[in-house]
């Protein structure tokens, strides 16, 4: 039985919502697999995946049943009590990764907030109050809380909100010499996205991550991998660090972890986890039974050879066709990324016009993403059907054709 709600339209957004977003002109109302329908019944193919979140598409039967089963049992108890889904999820994550311990929260920003606080705490406990500096990379993105925008360091996100968190510096990405020059015994952590997601789908070089690992070890600094976007099968491995063979001290995860249900996590070792003793950190909803029940179902499906190998195969299917389209219409200079996190770099002629490509795709019934003004990003479901990939890329080609002829 559903409760009737008053009808709403896109125009209502401009009247009742804080204007911090500029959503598309249509309102999605239903999804199934990699297809979405809007209020008018128009069908779209979804290569955006809710910004690398809907890892198993929309309304995946296993996730729907995990959620509804849990919804009929227990929604929330707070961390005054633990709960079965949270313990099951932690066990799965620990078994599948370098980590011994998990901390659950509700978003990527909150996971990074916990990671940065843990790094500072560890340094404080072990080496005293002078060791608190964090080194991040230029154009990184770690979330929108004050600490995480300060670490991200992009002025468009961090300026105009008063004093920032201090002790944070930024070095060019993939530049080991720059990191070497900046790191010191006052550094408590270096934080790196294995693939810079928001700022253009830029993969790290293996030697860079290996070098960062060694520098952190030399200076008693922790290596944090922000895997909020790259985690949970996105790159064809459960986590991108496994692709690179470089193990962090702390890993943050969110986005795909809940397949569309909000959840975040940090993963770390026993030795470091000790520093978050009782009372040092917390969050009311963290490890919520509903979120954890869904994330358990996500991991059961994603962390299988079928799905992970499928991601690698689907990468090739996307990449070869995108390269072909990019060349034919003079649109892309490069197609980069790993697994199903793919960035198409616009040619000089189309630089700054990723939004136009987004709009043209939408006109053809296709949802894509931007990653900054110069890159078109694809982050579809990891189980997107090959037929949907082909149909979606046909739509994308029509969009490219119309856009470049206009
Ligand atoms: C999306 C993202 C975040 C922020 O996650 P939220 O859930 O929006 O807080 C942090 N880091 C990276 C790499 C991301 O892609």
């Amino acid at each position: 039985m559903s409760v009737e709600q008053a009808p709403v339209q896109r125009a209502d957004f401009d009247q009742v919502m804080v204007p911090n977003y500029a959503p598309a002109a249509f309102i999605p109302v239903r999804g199934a697999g990699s297809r979405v329908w809007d209020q008018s019944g128009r069908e779209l193919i979804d290569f955006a995946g809710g910004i690398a979140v809907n890892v198993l598409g929309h309304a995946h039967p296993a996730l729907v049943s995990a959620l509804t089963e849990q919804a009929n049992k227990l929604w929330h108890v707070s961390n005054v009590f633990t709960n079965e889904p949270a313990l099951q999820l932690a066990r799965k994550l620990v078994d599948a990764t370098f980590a011994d311990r998990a901390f659950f929260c509700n978003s990527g920003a909150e996971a990074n907030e916990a990671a940065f606080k843990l790094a500072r705490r560890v340094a404080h406990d072990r080496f005293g109050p002078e060791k608190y500096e964090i080194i991040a990379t230029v154009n990184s993105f770690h979330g929108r809380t004050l600490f995480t925008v300060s670490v991200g360091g992009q002025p468009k996100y961090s300026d105009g909100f008063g004093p920032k968190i201090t002790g944070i510096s930024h070095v060019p990405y993939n530049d080991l010499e720059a990191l070497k020059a900046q790191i010191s015994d006052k550094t408590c952590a270096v934080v790196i996205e294995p693939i810079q997601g928001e700022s253009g789908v830029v993969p790290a070089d293996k030697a860079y991550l290996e070098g960062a690992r060694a520098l952190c070890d030399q200076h008693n600094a922790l290596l944090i991998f922000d895997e909020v976007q790259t985690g949970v099968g996105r790159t064809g491995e459960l986590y991108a660090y496994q692709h690179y063979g470089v193990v962090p001290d702390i890993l943050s995860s969110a986005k795909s972890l809940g397949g569309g249900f909000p959840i975040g996590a940090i993963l770390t070792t026993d030795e470091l986890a000790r520093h978050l003793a009782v009372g040092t950190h917390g969050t009311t909803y963290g490890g919520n039974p509903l979120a954890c029940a869904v994330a358990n179902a996500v991991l059961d499906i994603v962390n299988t050879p079928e799905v992970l190998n499928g991601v690698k195969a689907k990468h090739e299917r996307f990449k070869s066709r995108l390269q072909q389209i990019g060349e034919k219409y003079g649109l892309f200079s490069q197609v980069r990324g790993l697994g199903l996190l793919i960035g198409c770099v616009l040619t000089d002629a189309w630089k700054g016009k990723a939004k136009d490509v987004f709009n043209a795709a939408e006109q053809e019934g296709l949802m894509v993403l931007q990653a900054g003004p110069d890159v078109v990003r694809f982050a579809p479901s990891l189980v997107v059907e090959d037929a949907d990939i082909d149909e979606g890329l046909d739509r994308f080609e029509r969009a490219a054709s119309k856009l470049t002829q206009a």
Side-chain angles (χ1 to χ4, degrees), residues 60-359:
H60 190 287
L63 304 196
V64 172
S65 95
L67 181 61
T68 48
E69 230 172 79
Q70 188 60 42
N72 282 306
K73 272 200 223 162
L74 184 71
W75 286 31
H76 180 78
V77 289
S78 89
N79 288 297
V80 173
F81 310 92
T82 189
N83 67 79
E84 292 179 349
L87 296 174
Q88 284 151 353
L89 179 62
R91 178 66 66 196
K92 265 173 212 166
L93 287 167
V94 158
D95 286 348
T97 66
F98 74 96
D100 310 307
R101 301 274 177 164
F103 166 80
F104 295 124
C105 52
N106 311 288
S107 68
E110 221 191 322
N112 285 323
E113 184 84 19
F116 303 151
K117 281 182 71 182
L118 173 58
R120 280 197 170 180
R121 188 78 179 198
V122 168
H124 186 278
D125 291 351
R126 286 183 179 168
F127 302 100
E130 297 298 306
K131 189 175 175 75
Y132 64 89
E133 292 179 4
I134 294 174
I135 302 176
T137 62
V138 175
N139 288 331
S140 62
F141 184 78
H142 300 297
R144 299 295 201 109
T145 65
L146 190 58
F147 201 166
T148 54
V149 292
S150 299
V151 174
Q154 299 191 53
K156 66 178 173 182
Y157 300 135
S158 59
D159 280 3
F161 294 101
K164 293 170 194 167
I165 308 267
T166 54
I168 296 161
S169 60
H170 298 91
V171 294
Y173 191 72
N174 266 338
D175 183 341
L176 193 58
E177 286 309 308
L179 179 58
K180 195 172 184 175
Q182 184 65 30
I183 199 168
S184 77
D185 289 342
K186 289 174 77 178
T187 306
C188 76
V190 173
V191 55
I192 299 174
E193 295 167 79
I195 302 174
Q196 279 192 331
E198 292 308 302
S199 59
V201 189
V202 186
D205 300 330
K206 186 171 158 66
Y208 176 61
L209 298 183
E210 288 168 345
R213 175 71 275 176
L215 287 170
C216 284
D217 292 342
Q218 279 162 32
H219 292 276
N220 292 313
L222 301 182
L223 181 61
I224 301 172
F225 282 171
D226 179 345
E227 292 229 31
V228 171
Q229 190 150 161
T230 55
V232 194
R234 184 62 47 197
T235 65
E237 302 293 337
L238 185 62
Y239 284 100
Y241 86 86
Q242 295 161 321
H243 168 83
Y244 285 100
V246 177
V247 179
D249 299 295
I250 307 172
L251 180 153
S252 57
S253 186
K255 290 204 166 99
S256 297
L257 183 57
F261 202 96
I263 183 169
I266 62 167
L267 304 179
T268 191
T269 60
D270 265 327
E271 205 191 339
L272 299 175
R274 291 195 288 115
H275 294 265
L276 288 186
V278 173
T280 50
H281 190 60
T283 168
T284 299
Y285 272 121
N288 172 282
L290 290 172
C292 291
V294 177
N296 269 308
V298 167
L299 279 185
D300 288 345
I301 296 172
V302 169
N303 197 22
T304 56
E306 302 89 274
V307 169
L308 296 176
N309 292 334
V311 169
K312 291 169 191 148
K314 291 174 200 300
H315 172 89
E316 291 309 321
R317 202 175 187 96
F318 265 98
K319 188 168 179 174
S320 58
R321 182 83 188 276
L322 285 169
Q323 276 170 337
Q324 200 187 319
I325 295 169
E327 263 168 48
K328 184 167 169 190
Y329 299 96
L331 207 51
F332 303 144
S333 60
Q334 193 194 355
V335 178
R336 66 193 177 197
L338 289 172
L340 289 174
L341 182 57
I342 296 171
C344 301
V345 185
L346 293 169
T347 53
D348 285 343
W350 290 92
K351 235 184 175 52
K353 296 196 171 143
K355 184 75 189 186
D356 295 346
V357 179
F358 173 96
N359 288 334

